[in-house]
Amino acid sequence: MLLLFAAGACGAEPLSVDEFEASYGTPAPLQPDAPVWADREPERLPERLPEGGAGTPASTTPAHTIGFGDGATVVSEALGAIADGVLTEVVLYDGYGIVSALDRVSGHLQRVVVRPTGVQPPERLPISSRDDPNAIAFEPTAVDWSIVPGLVAKTPVDLGIADGKVSHVIVEHNVPFSPDLVIRVYVTAPGGGGRIDYDANGRPKRSFRD
């Protein structure tokens, strides 16, 4: 038989379930734990962040939508969170963006996540001994951000993937192969995906299929 003790009744006789409920009512049922899952994208993209961020609350800026055509806005808001930042990598999703930048004041590499609900505080990233952050840095004006939506629309067609969908776009230097800036558009599909690399003005440079 399950026995219960009334709160604060030190030394009291244990109560049966029926006696406890008659005196204190039926206890509320326990709530099940919330589901937990991991969401990682394929390819070499950075780890996809769970909805709502990674534990650090975002700033309370007005909510707005973020799409592949909002690269300039994502970059501007991210660099606004860094004292004197210069870009090293920009990753755009249909919903949020991740910006990595070199803080020229501290010399640290920082990552900033921009969501429709606001901008998360910068997170310091390790710098690889193989990389010179200054060699992979670029200014926001080095890329024509307005061409990204057109590249997103045409890439699945140009790859010949009829049921393909663009998962993300990465803008970075093509190191160690060349110092050129590239816009990498990644496509996923049930039968296999691919990507096309474009230069900063939208001219195709190379393509890959899974």
Side-chain angles (χ1 to χ4, degrees):
M1 174 185 295
L2 178 62
L3 299 179
L4 302 173
F5 292 85
C10 296
E13 289 297 323
L15 304 177
S16 68
V17 173
D18 291 340
E19 292 171 333
F20 184 91
E21 292 182 352
S23 299
Y24 300 98
T26 303
L30 296 177
Q31 297 298 318
D33 292 336
V36 178
W37 63 90
D39 179 14
R40 289 183 64 89
E41 293 286 349
E43 288 283 354
R44 49 96 45 220
L45 76 164
E47 182 178 352
R48 188 175 179 89
L49 298 175
E51 292 302 320
T56 304
S59 62
T60 56
T61 54
H64 57 82
T65 59
I66 293 178
F68 290 120
D70 297 310
T73 300
V74 168
V75 166
S76 175
E77 293 188 3
L79 291 181
I82 300 175
D84 184 12
V86 59
L87 302 173
T88 59
E89 182 185 68
V90 178
V91 185
L92 299 174
Y93 297 94
D94 187 14
Y96 65 95
I98 304 174
V99 175
S100 298
L102 176 66
D103 185 339
R104 287 179 284 205
V105 173
S106 65
H108 297 154
L109 192 62
Q110 307 274 13
R111 185 180 78 166
V112 179
V113 179
V114 180
R115 296 183 179 276
T117 52
V119 181
Q120 290 183 260
E123 173 191 358
R124 183 175 173 181
L125 298 176
I127 298 178
S128 170
S129 59
R130 299 174 301 171
D131 296 333
D132 176 5
N134 292 289
I136 61 175
F138 60 97
E139 297 292 341
T141 54
V143 178
D144 183 357
W145 301 99
S146 67
I147 66 175
V148 174
L151 301 181
V152 168
K154 71 189 294 290
T155 297
V157 177
D158 291 350
L159 285 172
I161 306 176
D163 58 345
K165 180 181 179 181
V166 171
S167 59
H168 62 292
V169 175
I170 297 179
V171 181
E172 63 184 352
H173 275 289
N174 192 35
V175 293
F177 307 105
S178 78
D180 300 331
L181 272 176
V182 289
I183 303 172
R184 309 188 197 275
V185 182
Y186 291 78
V187 176
T188 59
R195 90 169 193 254
I196 295 181
D197 290 356
Y198 303 88
D199 67 17
N201 295 308
R203 291 183 290 265
K205 305 294 291 183
R206 61 192 68 82
S207 62
F208 305 86
R209 285 288 303 269
D210 293 346

